[in-house]
Amino acid sequence: MSVQERKQRERAERERLIVATARELAEQQGWDAVTTRRLAERIEYSQPVLYSHFRGKREIIGAVALEGAAEMAEAVRAATSAADGPRGRVAALARTYLDFAARNPAVYDALFQLDGGLPYAREDTPEPLKDAFAALLESLGEVAGDGVHPALFTEVFWASLHGLATLTRAGRLLPEDAARRVELLVDRLAVV
């Protein structure tokens, strides 16, 4: 391995460490607790080293969002591939999405609530974000209904899931009705 390759590998490892540490800190204490000073202390590098990877917290949030999008896409695909039939796939998708949001609140915030400097719904949207949407579209497109554009249906279904995730987390919905909400969403929106 050349010196250049070793330095690139070490740089990539440091970047993964910064993102993992930011994510861990955000999940434990919230995004307000994630500062470059605190990250530098935790990973035992100087703040200038952090700034050589990320210009600031906004870019770190973006990196966490991209990592989270890839994880969400993987989880949705795994759940939907194990389900039977279109209705089963949509129900599995909904449960997996809501479970992901509940288990990873800081990552979910990085993806959908905070400014990570990432463009959404544009030509230059990063691939992990496009792929996360594609993972939803793969199952939802088949139940959009006649004359309904599959991507538009996916956006509406996704918005419904996002609303459920956000309202549940804020304590605005009764937790004991969570499964019934998913069933209602699947039954009323998906044409199976």
Side-chain angles (χ1 to χ4, degrees):
M1 173 182 301
S2 72
V3 172
Q4 181 67 19
E5 289 172 329
R6 182 182 54 77
K7 285 184 179 188
Q8 286 175 338
R9 188 186 78 231
E10 289 172 354
R11 180 172 176 76
E13 288 172 9
R14 264 193 320 271
E15 193 166 301
R16 281 191 295 276
L17 178 61
I18 293 166
V19 171
T21 304
R23 182 177 174 167
E24 178 184 321
L25 185 57
E27 291 293 2
Q28 291 172 352
Q29 300 176 30
W31 278 105
D32 287 343
V34 179
T35 64
T36 53
R37 181 178 180 181
R38 195 175 248 174
L39 285 174
E41 289 171 3
R42 283 206 173 194
I43 65 171
E44 299 178 345
Y45 282 103
S46 68
Q47 284 181 295
V49 169
L50 264 74
Y51 285 116
S52 74
H53 290 274
F54 300 99
R55 287 183 287 205
K57 182 176 176 176
R58 182 179 187 216
E59 285 188 4
I60 294 169
I61 290 169
V64 170
L66 294 176
E67 188 177 271
E71 291 171 11
M72 184 187 300
E74 183 180 328
V76 165
R77 285 190 175 109
T80 57
S81 70
D84 290 328
R87 187 186 188 294
R89 284 189 287 279
V90 173
L93 178 151
R95 286 189 301 271
T96 301
Y97 183 98
L98 294 171
D99 182 56
F100 182 89
R103 284 185 300 105
N104 305 283
V107 173
Y108 192 81
D109 285 349
L111 269 164
F112 302 120
Q113 304 287 85
L114 301 174
D115 179 10
L118 302 173
Y120 284 77
R122 295 189 351 207
E123 195 69 32
D124 60 339
T125 298
E127 277 308 310
L129 298 178
K130 287 180 181 179
D131 189 52
F133 184 78
L136 301 176
L137 180 62
E138 289 162 10
S139 292
L140 294 171
E142 68 181 324
V143 297
D146 292 337
V148 178
H149 192 280
L152 185 61
F153 177 78
T154 299
E155 289 173 347
V156 170
F157 199 93
W158 170 30
S160 298
L161 290 173
H162 176 69
L164 289 174
T166 303
L167 291 169
T168 299
R169 188 163 134 205
R172 303 292 198 271
L173 301 175
L174 296 173
E176 60 267 19
D177 291 333
R180 289 179 41 212
R181 281 188 206 96
V182 169
E183 292 301 314
L184 182 61
L185 183 64
V186 172
D187 288 343
R188 299 300 171 132
L189 283 183
V191 177
V192 187

